[in-house]
């Protein structure tokens, strides 16, 4: 695993994850499996630049993805260890 | 020996040329009318350890295999001990296509992040749409695997069938012979 930092949006259900991709279709994101260290969510996550997560959150709310359906994390990978910080919820 | 394979659909030019080369026909010239066939004939030459030259008159192509044009066996048959991943569909697993598309993206992302990249990634039938379509994430992940040394073979017949050959964004146009030969050489083949 390479060293990097990014924003990660996780979802309560695969349906919410798929709906969110439609809302965020203009965004630059990567669909990735939810990191194993984050257990309380479904398996589909969206990885994006940390600077984009706030705008993404606003759009998701406007796009009628209920706040309780997703979580936002800041992820830092350093020498193979993963640090994660919950930014929302 | 001369073969006019113009107008023949892939993989016929390769099949016709291979038959002649196998029979030890001496020098062989094959005429074809598309670049995919040229690439596939060049690969046939490499896989059989034969030199070949290509001549293009602006419309059709002549591929010339000289008599006894053996090349050193460096590229002809290199053994591999890695694993291959075969992707024959756009979606991972049966059931929902929407979910399957997400699962496929995540599987290829995970593969691209893996320490042990596959030796070969093989795309066929609907799988070719993953590297020759609107979907950019998968093409990017596949290109990062290529940078790590993975060889990516994409079925040319399939690209032509779906009329997306010009949209190929990752990997090289290939054919049944090379794809099957990659499988044969691999320690194991994982089908997605």
């Amino acid at each position: 695993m390479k060293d990097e930092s990014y924003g990660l949006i996780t979802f309560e259900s695969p349906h919410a994850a798929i709906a969110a991709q439609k809302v965020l279709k203009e965004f630059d994101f990567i669909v990735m499996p939810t990191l194993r260290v984050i257990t309380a969510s479904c398996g589909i996550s969206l990885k994006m630049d940390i600077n984009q997560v706030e705008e993404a959150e606003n759009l998701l709310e406007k796009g009628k993805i209920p706040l309780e359906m997703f979580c936002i994390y800041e992820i830092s990978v350093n020498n193979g260890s993963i640090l994660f910080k919950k930014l929302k919820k | 020996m001369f073969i006019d394979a113009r107008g023949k659909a892939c993989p016929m030019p390769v099949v016709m040329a291979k038959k002649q080369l196998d029979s030890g026909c001496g020098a062989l010239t094959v005429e074809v009318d598309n670049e995919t066939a040229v690439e596939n004939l060049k690969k046939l030459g490499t896989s059989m350890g034969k030199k070949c030259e290509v001549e293009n008159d602006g419309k059709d192509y002549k591929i010339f295999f000289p008599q006894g044009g053996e090349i050193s066996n460096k590229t002809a048959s290199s053994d591999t001990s890695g694993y291959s991943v075969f992707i024959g569909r756009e979606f991972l697993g049966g059931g929902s296509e929407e979910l399957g598309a997400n699962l496929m993206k995540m599987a290829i992302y995970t593969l691209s992040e893996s320490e042990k990249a596959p030796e070969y990634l093989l795309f066929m039938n609907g799988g070719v749409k993953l590297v020759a379509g609107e979907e950019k994430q998968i093409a990017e992940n596949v290109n990062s695997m290529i940078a790590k040394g993975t060889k990516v073979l994409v079925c040319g017949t399939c690209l032509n069938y779906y009329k997306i050959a010009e949209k190929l964004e990752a990997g090289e146009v290939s054919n049944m012979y090379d794809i099957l030969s990659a499988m044969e050489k691999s320690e194991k083949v994982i089908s997605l």
Side-chain angles (χ1 to χ4, degrees), chain A residues 1-2 4 14 18 21-22 29-33 43-44 47, chain B residues 96 98-99 102-103 105-107 109-110 113 115 137 140-141:
Chain A
M1 208 178 284
K2 62 176 185 282
E4 59 180 336
I18 289 167
Q21 289 175 48
K22 289 174 187 156
F29 60 78
I30 287 172
V31 183
M32 67 174 270
I44 305 175
K47 171 183 179 179
Chain B
S96 157
E98 193 174 46
L99 177 62
N102 274 267
L103 296 174
K105 270 188 197 172
M106 296 196 292
Y109 172 84
T110 307
E113 292 279 295
E115 306 254 312
Q137 177 181 328
E140 272 173 30
N141 291 160

